[in-house]
Amino acid sequence: MRPTCATVRLDAIAENYRLACRRAPGSQSMAVIKANAYGHGMVAVARRLESIAPAFAVALIDEAVELRQAGIQAPVLVMQGVKEPAEFELAAAENFWLMLHQSQQVETLLSLKLQTPVNVWIKLDTGMHRLGVAVVDMDDIYRRLDSSANVRGQPVLCTHLACADELDRPFTDQQVQIIRRFGNSLEVPLSIANSAGILHWPQSHAAWNRPGIMLYGSSPTATPGDSADGLQAAMTMQSEIIAVRDVAPGEGVGYGLDWTAERPSKIGTVAIGYGDGYPRHAPSGTPVLVNGQRVPLTGRVSMDAIGVDLTDTPGVEIGDPVELWGENLPVNEIAAAAGTISYEILAGLTGRVPLVHR
């Protein structure tokens, strides 16, 4: 059996969720488990958190349906919302909370005669210009939804922070001021903070927070600082050495022979590649742990394998364990080396990587 797998510590995810709650004690925290819980296994994560999280958030209604089919009964917010009448009816029947971010969704909901009303969140575009109703339309949309028989209770007003992971950017304060102005005038509950907001922007804490990446032990910023201390890595990506060979000075390794030995070298081959989700653009020198010791990646990442330089790590043999990221090697460090972010690496695991939940 191929040795490559991702071990997921569910208790670490629970502890990270509790940390999110402690950082914003006046808020309710909705666990964001979209994209297969950022690669960690959505159903398993939901089962672990259901007793402590009041609600979950996913991107798509298909994800919400998967949770219900797995027996998860907590409310589920569908952050991209729906557009077809049948999807609104399904949401009402299954207690899916719906994010409305454009006028077509609003008009469809208002035109229906639902047997059961739905919980509604209204997304306000405060400057990210991706999803959300325009500021000039907000008052009218809110009042129409608030008075509709198809809407259960008071709508929640939310927005998405564009730059909260960049701590020296003033734009987050501008976004918070815009949505709080509406919150005050309409006397409506708000949801503003993502993981970066929870950790670094206390002014963004509101009735509902939406922790995502921090649940999985990864800091939302490139330089976390003290505010991210206490997060526990939830996933350890592991494999093993499947070959060891000597490479003479001047000889190359991997596709294109991009890495060339400058001295008599010992190169190990690890059973992982971009076919598993290891970042293809990780350059030579990216750290890898072999037997708990750091060694550098050598040459290009291929679909099924990578090379590592074992020259200064004597005694390594075929079958020895390898950690690609996890408890001892932060995924943020690998992401930075590869010119990407931890979100992409974690959510980008492919289906051939078994998830082992503990």
Side-chain angles (χ1 to χ4, degrees), residues 96-113:
F96 298 154
W97 299 357
L98 295 180
M99 186 89 78
L100 305 180
H101 57 80
Q102 44 100 351
S103 59
Q104 181 184 355
Q105 293 173 317
V106 174
E107 297 305 328
T108 300
L109 174 58
L110 292 175
S111 70
L112 298 175
K113 294 183 179 179

Side-chain angles (χ1 to χ4, degrees), residues 13-321:
I13 296 175
E15 285 304 309
N16 293 334
Y17 174 80
R18 292 188 179 100
L19 175 62
C21 294
R22 290 195 300 272
R23 293 305 303 269
S27 306
Q28 294 193 85
S29 288
M30 169 181 291
V32 180
I33 56 173
K34 62 180 179 175
N36 199 28
Y38 294 52
H40 291 70
M42 181 177 68
V43 170
V45 171
R47 286 173 175 161
R48 178 63 184 85
L49 295 182
E50 190 170 25
S51 64
I52 57 176
F56 296 108
V58 296
L60 314 172
I61 195 167
D62 290 350
E63 295 173 322
V65 169
E66 182 180 348
L67 290 173
R68 286 290 182 265
Q69 291 175 341
I72 302 301
Q73 296 302 312
V76 180
L77 173 66
V78 182
M79 292 191 290
Q80 286 189 3
V82 298
K83 63 178 183 178
E84 302 296 335
E87 294 174 325
F88 283 97
E89 292 167 359
L90 174 63
E94 296 290 350
N95 192 23
F96 298 154
W97 299 357
L98 295 180
M99 186 89 78
L100 305 180
H101 57 80
Q102 44 100 351
S103 59
Q104 181 184 355
Q105 293 173 317
V106 174
E107 297 305 328
T108 300
L109 174 58
L110 292 175
S111 70
L112 298 175
K113 294 183 179 179
L114 297 177
Q115 293 185 351
T116 304
V118 295
N119 290 84
V120 164
W121 287 40
I122 309 170
K123 185 166 223 176
L124 176 66
D125 182 2
T126 56
M128 189 173 181
H129 301 320
R130 188 180 64 174
L131 296 176
V133 301
V135 166
V136 296
D137 297 328
M138 185 64 233
D139 282 329
D140 178 63
I141 286 175
Y142 173 79
R143 296 189 191 286
R144 293 174 68 202
L145 288 169
D146 191 39
S147 61
S148 172
N150 287 334
V151 175
R152 178 189 291 122
Q154 188 177 23
V156 175
L157 179 59
C158 74
T159 197
H160 198 92
L161 298 178
C163 307
D165 58 330
E166 301 176 46
L167 306 185
D168 58 349
R169 294 279 298 272
F171 192 70
T172 296
D173 276 327
Q174 297 175 31
Q175 289 189 274
V176 171
Q177 290 170 13
I178 292 171
I179 192 170
R180 286 205 177 278
R181 186 167 66 246
F182 280 100
N184 293 334
S185 66
L186 298 172
E187 298 182 343
V188 57
L190 302 179
S191 176
I192 308 171
N194 54 10
S195 292
I198 291 169
L199 292 172
H200 300 288
W201 303 89
Q203 62 271 42
S204 72
H205 300 173
W208 284 97
N209 295 334
R210 308 186 307 276
I213 192 66
M214 69 179 297
L215 299 182
Y216 311 103
S218 176
S219 169
T221 65
T223 53
D226 294 340
S227 292
D229 286 355
L231 292 178
Q232 300 180 28
M235 177 190 291
T236 298
M237 187 69 171
Q238 57 206 49
S239 188
E240 67 180 36
I241 298 290
I242 59 172
V244 178
R245 69 189 66 249
D246 294 318
V247 175
E251 294 293 317
V253 172
Y255 284 117
L257 304 178
D258 290 349
W259 185 90
T260 302
E262 297 179 353
R263 55 176 176 164
S265 300
K266 191 172 292 291
I267 302 299
T269 302
V270 183
I272 191 169
Y274 61 79
D276 305 292
Y278 191 85
R280 182 178 180 272
H281 296 294
S284 294
T286 299
V288 177
L289 294 184
V290 178
N291 290 334
Q293 300 183 68
R294 284 187 173 232
V295 300
L297 180 73
T298 57
R300 296 183 194 173
V301 175
S302 59
M303 184 178 293
D304 310 307
I306 60 172
V308 293
D309 188 353
L310 305 174
T311 309
D312 298 321
T313 312
V316 175
E317 299 178 349
I318 292 174
D320 283 356

